[in-house]
Amino acid sequence: REKEFENAIETYLLSNGYIKIDNSKYNKESGLFPETLFEFLQKTQKAELKQLEKQHGVSYKDKILHRLNQQIKQNGMLNVLRKGIIDFGVKLNLIYFKPASSLNPEAFEKYNSNIFSITRQLRYNTKNENSLDITLCINGLPLATAELKGKFTGQNVWNAIKQYKQDRDHRELAFKFNSRAL
């Protein structure tokens, strides 16, 4: 069954450093998990956040999310992951890649601060209750989605491909090319 397949994937990922995030934490309008993003930023770039809070005031998180969405729209998710964003001259990294060596403990510590997560049955749509079986994120940013099928239900990978092609609205934020999940 599909549910057991989801359970197996989730169990494996959770035992290998991922955390589970409930789908209620997903912001359908921004297409992100804002709490997770700010948890990561607070852990890795506290001074930069303080500086932006001074500049923007109490609405600094909304301003950062606005800037992030603006940058993704202009440059794409992959570019934003690679280069980060700049707001009022303050650079925020959205991911830390694995350092080539462990000679720099601070770089390795930041890499280890990345938050890998899995969400099951993500209700992504603002107009209905459609969901994705599995969504994988880094630091609150969706990277991959999956529709699972099993031979016991009479479905296979081709049914999942058909579902993505025909049953999903590619104008939805969750499916826009290089805008959210890669």
Side-chain angles (χ1 to χ4, degrees), residues 6 37 50 59 62 83 87 100 110 128-130 138-139:
E6 281 182 42
L37 173 63
K50 279 282 188 210
S59 64
D62 291 334
K83 296 182 178 180
D87 188 34
K110 285 189 175 188
N128 58 47
E129 290 298 305
N130 288 354
I138 184 148
N139 305 324

Side-chain angles (χ1 to χ4, degrees), residues 118-133:
I118 180 173
T119 300
R120 290 175 54 180
Q121 297 303 317
L122 178 70
R123 306 231 180 273
Y124 63 88
N125 195 308
T126 57
K127 299 173 185 109
N128 58 47
E129 290 298 305
N130 288 354
S131 66
L132 290 160
D133 290 338

Side-chain angles (χ1 to χ4, degrees), residues 97-127:
F97 295 99
K98 188 173 185 176
S101 75
S102 58
L103 295 177
N104 182 341
E106 184 181 331
F108 215 78
E109 183 180 326
K110 285 189 175 188
Y111 165 72
N112 285 326
S113 294
N114 286 317
I115 303 169
F116 294 90
S117 61
I118 180 173
T119 300
R120 290 175 54 180
Q121 297 303 317
L122 178 70
R123 306 231 180 273
Y124 63 88
N125 195 308
T126 57
K127 299 173 185 109

Side-chain angles (χ1 to χ4, degrees), residues 147-166:
E147 285 296 339
L148 304 178
K149 305 297 176 204
K151 64 181 178 181
F152 298 112
T153 61
Q155 294 184 316
N156 60 34
V157 68
W158 299 110
N159 296 101
I161 292 169
K162 182 179 175 186
Q163 186 174 5
Y164 269 106
K165 285 182 175 181
Q166 296 177 1

Side-chain angles (χ1 to χ4, degrees), residues 9 11 14 16 24 31 42 74 94 118-119 125 130 149 169 174-175:
I9 291 170
T11 300
L14 293 176
N16 284 282
S24 67
Q42 187 67 33
Q74 287 177 355
L94 303 173
I118 180 173
T119 300
N125 195 308
N130 288 354
K149 305 297 176 204
D169 183 351
F175 301 110

Side-chain angles (χ1 to χ4, degrees), residues 5-156:
F5 194 15
E6 281 182 42
N7 286 339
I9 291 170
E10 179 183 67
T11 300
Y12 176 80
L13 292 174
L14 293 176
S15 67
N16 284 282
Y18 278 67
I19 63 166
K20 182 176 183 171
I21 299 180
D22 188 81
N23 64 41
S24 67
K25 303 290 184 185
Y26 182 73
N27 181 297
K28 294 176 185 179
E29 287 75 30
S30 69
L32 306 168
F33 291 87
E35 286 179 27
T36 308
L37 173 63
F38 284 102
E39 178 185 339
F40 166 76
L41 293 173
Q42 187 67 33
K43 197 183 322 180
T44 61
Q45 299 158 84
K46 195 177 283 194
E48 290 84 348
L49 279 183
K50 279 282 188 210
Q51 193 174 350
L52 287 171
E53 186 177 8
K54 281 182 189 174
Q55 295 200 15
H56 293 303
V58 293
S59 64
Y60 77 102
K61 288 183 178 181
D62 291 334
K63 300 281 187 179
I64 291 170
L65 289 174
H66 176 75
R67 182 69 174 151
L68 172 59
N69 281 312
Q70 194 178 46
Q71 288 295 294
I72 291 172
K73 192 174 187 178
Q74 287 177 355
N75 303 314
M77 177 66 89
L78 193 55
N79 181 281
V80 166
L81 285 170
R82 286 181 178 152
K83 296 182 178 180
I85 62 170
I86 298 176
D87 188 34
F88 274 83
V90 178
K91 182 176 184 197
L92 294 174
N93 292 299
L94 303 173
I95 185 174
Y96 286 99
F97 295 99
K98 188 173 185 176
S101 75
S102 58
L103 295 177
N104 182 341
E106 184 181 331
F108 215 78
E109 183 180 326
K110 285 189 175 188
Y111 165 72
N112 285 326
S113 294
N114 286 317
I115 303 169
F116 294 90
S117 61
I118 180 173
T119 300
R120 290 175 54 180
Q121 297 303 317
L122 178 70
R123 306 231 180 273
Y124 63 88
N125 195 308
T126 57
K127 299 173 185 109
N128 58 47
E129 290 298 305
N130 288 354
S131 66
L132 290 160
D133 290 338
I134 290 181
T135 303
L136 303 178
C137 297
I138 184 148
N139 305 324
L141 306 171
L143 288 184
T145 64
E147 285 296 339
L148 304 178
K149 305 297 176 204
K151 64 181 178 181
F152 298 112
T153 61
Q155 294 184 316
N156 60 34

